[in-house]
Amino acid sequence: MSEIRDVVVIGSGPAGYTAALYTARAQLRPVLFGSSVFVGGSLTTTTEVENFPGFPDGVDGPDLMDKMRAQAEKFGAEMIDDDITDVDLTGPVKLLTDSAGTVHRARTVIVATGSGYRKLGIPGEEELSGRGVSWCATCDGFFFRDRDIVVVGGGDTAMEEATFLTRFAKSVTVVHRRSALRASKVMQNRAFADDKISFAFDTEVAELRQDGPMLGGILLRDVFTGATRDVAATGLFIAIGHDPRTDLFRGQLDLDEEGYLKVAAPTTRTNIPGVFGAGDVVDHTYRQAITAAGSGASAALDAERYLSALT
Ligand code: FAD
């Protein structure tokens, strides 16, 4: 039988690494499972990060994640680049199975598995991420000054992104597959009233044109007639939703109707004592590296207090 660890962290994004840093400094010898294929989380898929405090000249996303990992390791956090594939969280000792079938035991578990942006699934989308294609206006809007931008989506997030992007963009075209928006009336009205925003309904993105390594234009297609037209946009923001990575916990941890982990805010406590949630996996609203890191710190402190109460 493996030893019972005080803390296991699942997830290697800003939330997981921060939780590992804090629990390591509290002498709790955490072990962090950070995925077999996607070590470092979402920020490893971007280039320049300009809004993480402490880096006045910006920082490369993968570099920032390497630094977070190194800082946690320096204080004794153990990193395992593997997935947790099964969990039994019900008892006072939690059982976590890795991809080799080894069962790890822990008194507390911090879930920091993040969420994935939904993709359009068209060629070039991944390669052009950070080169004209983005999923986060708050993160990247500033890089799109005086450009023509397409926003894909019809919900509140798409309207919010479109409206926010008018601060920087020359024009914003909202592309939506249906003939009506799903967004709340107030968000729709704000977007309709904005001179910089126009709408292409019953339309989808058919192709991304490249200009060297950058997005050079977008081919749109009418979903009914199939007619296509080129738009000279050099920015594409995809706002069609997110999928929190919670399948592993379904049936044990309480999830909301969209699959996000429920916590007793402002704490990070889930419905199971000793299990805490942090970062984008619990967060519909902010989804930033700094907010994920902040909630990772909160989860570590909550776990520490929970462990102290056991002794
Ligand atoms: P994540 O970073 O998503 O990390 C979760 C990790 O857990 C992943 O590595 C995942 O593989 C792993 N995991 C999941 N399940 C398991 C499992 N079962 N076992 C082991 N590991 C598992 N934010 C900013 O503040 N500024 C920016 O400039 C910015 N730019 C961005 C650009 C892009 C392209 C993207 C996609 C996001 C950007 N963000 C930015 C948002 C930011 O990356 C996220 O808010 C943040 O990374 C969320 O951190 P997290 O720790 O909750 O999850």
Side-chain angles (χ1 to χ4, degrees):
M1 260 312 195
S2 62
E3 77 171 294
I4 303 176
R5 303 292 288 246
D6 278 330
V7 181
V8 167
V9 180
I10 312 176
S12 56
Y17 282 158
T18 307
L21 168 66
Y22 270 68
T23 49
R25 291 192 73 251
Q27 309 287 315
L28 295 172
R29 294 198 316 112
V31 55
L32 179 148
F33 286 86
S35 157
S36 53
V37 288
F38 189 33
V39 176
S42 300
L43 276 190
T44 61
T45 63
T46 193
T47 47
E48 193 79 347
V49 178
E50 289 192 330
N51 57 6
F52 200 87
F55 299 91
D57 300 320
V59 57
D60 185 61
D63 282 355
L64 177 60
M65 298 319 299
D66 286 347
K67 286 192 166 81
M68 285 191 198
R69 180 184 175 111
Q71 193 174 353
E73 281 178 323
K74 177 178 156 187
F75 293 102
E78 184 185 341
M79 302 289 169
I80 300 181
D81 295 341
D82 194 7
D83 301 303
I84 291 298
T85 56
D86 196 18
V87 293
D88 178 353
L89 303 171
T90 44
V93 175
K94 323 295 175 197
L95 306 177
L96 305 118
T97 309
D98 66 21
S99 67
T102 306
V103 177
H104 304 265
R105 302 188 299 160
R107 289 184 187 87
T108 68
V109 173
I110 296 175
V111 177
T113 47
S115 75
Y117 289 96
R118 285 194 199 137
K119 306 220 160 80
L120 296 174
I122 55 172
E125 186 181 7
E126 306 271 0
E127 295 78 0
L128 289 167
S129 168
R131 299 189 163 85
V133 175
S134 173
W135 282 265
C136 175
T138 311
C139 311
D140 297 334
F142 194 72
F143 299 121
F144 288 79
R145 287 184 299 275
D146 295 323
R147 310 247 295 257
D148 295 305
I149 294 177
V150 163
V151 173
V152 184
D156 276 348
T157 306
M159 293 313 104
E160 200 175 322
E161 302 271 272
T163 307
F164 177 75
L165 285 165
T166 58
R167 294 186 197 184
F168 315 99
K170 208 194 301 170
S171 76
V172 176
T173 306
V174 174
V175 170
H176 186 40
R177 273 193 308 188
R178 304 185 202 291
S179 46
L181 300 170
R182 266 183 302 106
S184 60
K185 273 280 170 268
V186 65
M187 298 297 290
Q188 291 193 25
N189 291 341
R190 195 171 302 157
F192 285 139
D194 196 314
D195 288 343
K196 279 193 182 177
I197 302 179
S198 60
F199 290 83
F201 288 108
D202 300 319
T203 300
E204 62 190 5
V205 174
E207 246 178 78
L208 303 178
R209 310 277 197 212
Q210 281 194 232
D211 179 8
M214 305 299 287
L215 177 70
I218 297 171
L219 186 72
L220 298 181
R221 179 170 50 220
D222 185 298
V223 294
F224 292 117
T225 65
T228 56
R229 69 181 166 102
D230 265 302
V231 288
T234 54
L236 173 68
F237 284 79
I238 301 167
I240 54 174
H242 319 86
D243 293 310
R245 300 187 190 100
T246 48
D247 283 352
L248 189 57
F249 311 105
R250 214 166 270 283
Q252 296 186 51
L253 295 179
D254 286 348
L255 309 179
D256 71 13
E257 60 290 347
E258 289 175 60
Y260 284 83
L261 194 57
K262 277 192 184 174
V263 291
T267 80
T268 62
R269 288 196 299 264
T270 66
N271 56 304
I272 296 185
V275 182
F276 306 89
D280 284 8
V281 73
V282 300
D283 182 3
H284 286 255
T285 316
Y286 303 111
R287 290 191 299 262
Q288 294 294 294
I290 188 67
T291 51
S295 72
S298 302
L301 296 171
D302 287 342
E304 209 181 311
R305 280 177 199 142
Y306 171 88
L307 289 164
S308 311
L310 293 180
T311 51

